[in-house]
Amino acid sequence: MHSDVWIAGGGVICGIGNNLSECLTAFKHMEPGMAHMEYLHSIHRHTFPVVEVKAANETLAGWTGMSAKLSRTALLSRVAAEEAWQSTGLGDIRQYRVGFVSANTVGGMDKTEDFFADYLQDPSQGHLSQVVHHECGAITELVADAMGIRHHISTISTACSSGANALMYGARLIKNNLVDVVIAGGTDALTRFTLNGFNTLMILDQAACRPFDDTRTGLNLGEGAGYVVLVSDALAAEMPVGKTPWCRLSGYANANDAYHQTASSPDGTGNFLAMQGAMEMSGIKPEDISYINLHGTGTQNNDVAEGSAIARLFAPHYPPASSTKSFTGHTLGASGGIEAVFSAWAVKEGIIYPNANFSKQMKELPFAPETRFSTGNKIQHVMSNSFGFGGNCSSLVFSKSAQS
């Protein structure tokens, strides 16, 4: 088995930028992406702010060479996956054993919703081509075909931990020498189904979300895609001149406390076990973590659970922590992939991201999130948390190489 899995590059598109560079500018200038809906058509347009990618499907299709009639979920995936691959400088993707492990939760539901709008008015109306890519795996296959990936294609759908679990699965493929490189992460587009579902749960905020703030009242939904390129030891050593891996994926763990269909256990049992397991795999202690990219959705339950688990694991010294969802919104199946890109880049560049809209520390917790963007920090290990419905909790640890 390979001893290390490396992050050779990454790509992201979300509501604060169409690529990683634009996202970093938004963080630096404290520009969260919450706004009224422009591309999603909903009766809640002026009620709930969302964080949409600032591009129509026709624009995304032009960037990718794919059809604008395809699901937005696939178009977003293609943009980020292509940026991730190009960032590595590895050249022709066909010369490697490549896997594509992509997470999502909505599949092609955006197009299915368009179909039913016509169909319910008249059962003889609606184009069946709109529903053919409805299921989650179809989105992965569309993008894999567009990129010429053939060796291994898998789809992960475990709610909000999906993107992080894609990285875990991709790392195992490399460690077991089934492939040399894996593009791993997630994608999700906004749909009326998810917006209405979260509204039914009564966890949407009508203002900009405030993760880990005592005044928080819910989350803002977002959309986007994020992928990292995982490579083996051998491929990491053969990267082109001028290209070096960002960092290592040194640890990961998944735990499920099965407390509730949607809520986390109040004391964050699954959260605690996932973070603890990821650090054990990395061979590090809590005091070695330099920064935590929090799951941080902004709901009452999630922030208390995650914060309580962090207090239990890290007390009495807490590393800097923040939720990038305060900028991107909660991108569901894409969140673990998007935040993996941000976390890996944080290791490479010594970045700590700010927590937007924070004003008052939670009374239940002994720590508060970071509120300032900073670079040049001495960062050795970054933890990224993704905790999903049903108690499916995952944590990743990104680490500098021993030579850094």
Side-chain angles (χ1 to χ4, degrees), residues 85 107 114-115 153 158 173 243 246 253 289 314 329 376 381 394 401:
W85 181 257
D114 292 340
F115 167 81
I153 302 166
T158 55
L173 291 175
K243 296 285 186 179
W246 293 5
I289 295 292
F314 289 91
H381 308 278
S394 295
S401 66

Side-chain angles (χ1 to χ4, degrees), residues 17 28 48 56 60 65 111 173 178 255 273 287 310 321 348 356 370 376:
K28 182 178 180 180
F48 299 115
L60 296 172
K111 293 299 181 182
L173 291 175
L178 296 174
L273 293 172
E287 55 265 32
I310 289 171
K348 182 179 184 296
E370 294 293 310

Side-chain angles (χ1 to χ4, degrees), residues 4-299:
D4 283 316
V5 174
W6 300 84
I7 309 294
V12 61
I13 182 171
C14 62
I16 60 170
N18 296 327
N19 52 55
L20 178 56
S21 177
E22 291 182 6
C23 291
L24 294 170
T25 298
F27 284 125
K28 182 178 180 180
H29 295 292
M30 289 294 290
E31 296 173 345
M34 293 76 182
H36 290 309
M37 302 170 207
E38 182 178 353
Y39 302 106
L40 180 66
H41 301 291
S42 167
I43 61 173
H44 301 299
R45 179 181 180 187
H46 296 293
T47 304
F48 299 115
V50 295
V51 190
E52 289 180 301
V53 170
K54 310 302 190 288
N57 282 16
E58 290 74 16
T59 301
L60 296 172
W63 294 345
T64 61
M66 300 173 74
S67 170
K69 295 181 179 180
L70 293 175
S71 168
R72 188 171 176 89
T73 313
L75 298 173
L76 294 170
S77 173
R78 179 72 167 92
V79 172
E82 184 63 31
E83 182 194 1
W85 181 257
Q86 294 301 327
S87 72
T88 67
L90 289 172
D92 188 351
I93 201 168
R94 294 171 296 181
Q95 65 183 312
Y96 306 99
R97 294 185 303 163
V98 179
F100 186 47
V101 182
S102 182
N104 73 81
T105 66
V106 305
M109 194 181 295
D110 55 328
K111 293 299 181 182
T112 304
E113 290 177 342
D114 292 340
F115 167 81
F116 272 102
D118 295 330
Y119 177 80
L120 291 175
Q121 294 293 322
D122 181 352
S124 67
Q125 298 300 309
H127 299 285
L128 289 176
S129 61
Q130 293 178 298
V131 300
V132 71
H133 298 128
H134 173 83
E135 61 96 15
C136 293
I139 301 301
T140 307
E141 291 166 5
L142 284 169
V143 178
D145 286 346
M147 297 188 69
I149 298 171
R150 298 287 184 271
H151 285 89
H152 187 99
I153 302 166
S154 289
T155 303
I156 304 288
S157 191
T158 55
C160 311
S161 60
S162 302
N165 288 337
L167 268 73
M168 293 168 57
Y169 181 59
R172 291 188 177 117
L173 291 175
I174 290 174
K175 283 179 174 287
N176 286 281
N177 198 29
L178 296 174
V179 292
D180 302 311
V181 54
V182 176
I183 301 173
T187 180
D188 257 337
L190 284 165
T191 68
R192 291 185 287 277
F193 180 88
T194 46
L195 182 74
N196 294 337
F198 277 85
N199 185 33
T200 301
L201 291 172
M202 296 185 290
I203 55 175
L204 291 178
D205 198 330
Q206 294 186 27
C209 66
R210 302 169 300 285
F212 278 76
D213 190 286
D214 200 51
T215 67
R216 70 199 184 283
T217 58
L219 58 83
N220 303 141
L221 287 173
E223 65 179 356
Y227 296 92
V228 295
V229 180
L230 306 171
V231 298
S232 64
D233 274 328
L235 194 52
E238 297 174 359
M239 289 186 66
V241 175
K243 296 285 186 179
T244 57
W246 293 5
C247 59
R248 291 180 296 127
L249 176 58
S250 64
Y252 43 84
N254 173 271
N256 194 321
D257 55 23
Y259 173 79
H260 187 269
Q261 285 182 322
T262 58
S264 300
S265 58
D267 59 357
T269 300
N271 307 6
F272 175 87
L273 293 172
M275 291 188 286
Q276 184 184 59
M279 287 191 293
E280 286 177 354
M281 184 177 183
S282 294
I284 60 176
K285 299 177 181 179
E287 55 265 32
D288 296 322
I289 295 292
S290 308
Y291 166 66
I292 303 174
N293 190 330
L294 300 163
H295 179 56
T297 61
T299 66

Side-chain angles (χ1 to χ4, degrees), residues 275-338:
M275 291 188 286
Q276 184 184 59
M279 287 191 293
E280 286 177 354
M281 184 177 183
S282 294
I284 60 176
K285 299 177 181 179
E287 55 265 32
D288 296 322
I289 295 292
S290 308
Y291 166 66
I292 303 174
N293 190 330
L294 300 163
H295 179 56
T297 61
T299 66
Q300 290 288 332
N301 171 258
N302 271 321
D303 290 1
V304 168
E306 183 176 12
S308 298
I310 289 171
R312 176 183 171 191
L313 188 60
F314 289 91
H317 303 294
Y318 306 101
S322 66
S323 171
T324 53
K325 290 184 181 70
S326 63
F327 285 79
T328 67
H330 193 348
T331 57
L332 305 181
S335 60
I338 290 171

Side-chain angles (χ1 to χ4, degrees), residues 363-374:
K363 56 183 176 294
E364 300 92 342
L365 301 180
F367 66 92
E370 294 293 310
T371 59
R372 186 175 63 89
F373 179 86
S374 61

